[in-house]
Amino acid sequence: MMGISIWQLMIVLLIVVMLFGTKRLRGLGSDLGGAISGFRRSMSDGDNAASAETVKHEAK
């Protein structure tokens, strides 16, 4: 089968590090982590608001 070997992944990683540098990749990783964290927080806030709205309508 034609799969991606570990050596091919290492070469791609090396090229990416050479093109962008470790500092920029670290910043990109932290920005991506912050975006995912914000998305999860907004999703949980939306779920909490929806359940509170449901409880309010059921109480009437």
Side-chain angles (χ1 to χ4, degrees), residues 19-50:
L19 285 176
F20 295 109
T22 57
K23 214 175 212 182
R24 185 178 284 174
L25 288 176
R26 191 177 318 130
L28 179 67
S30 66
D31 290 344
L32 183 62
I36 291 172
S37 174
F39 178 75
R40 286 183 180 167
R41 192 176 316 117
S42 66
M43 290 299 290
S44 68
D45 289 346
D47 289 343
N48 290 341

Side-chain angles (χ1 to χ4, degrees), residues 3-16:
I4 297 175
S5 71
I6 188 73
W7 293 111
Q8 292 169 336
L9 289 175
M10 294 295 283
I11 291 171
V12 169
L13 180 64
L14 179 68
I15 291 171
V16 168

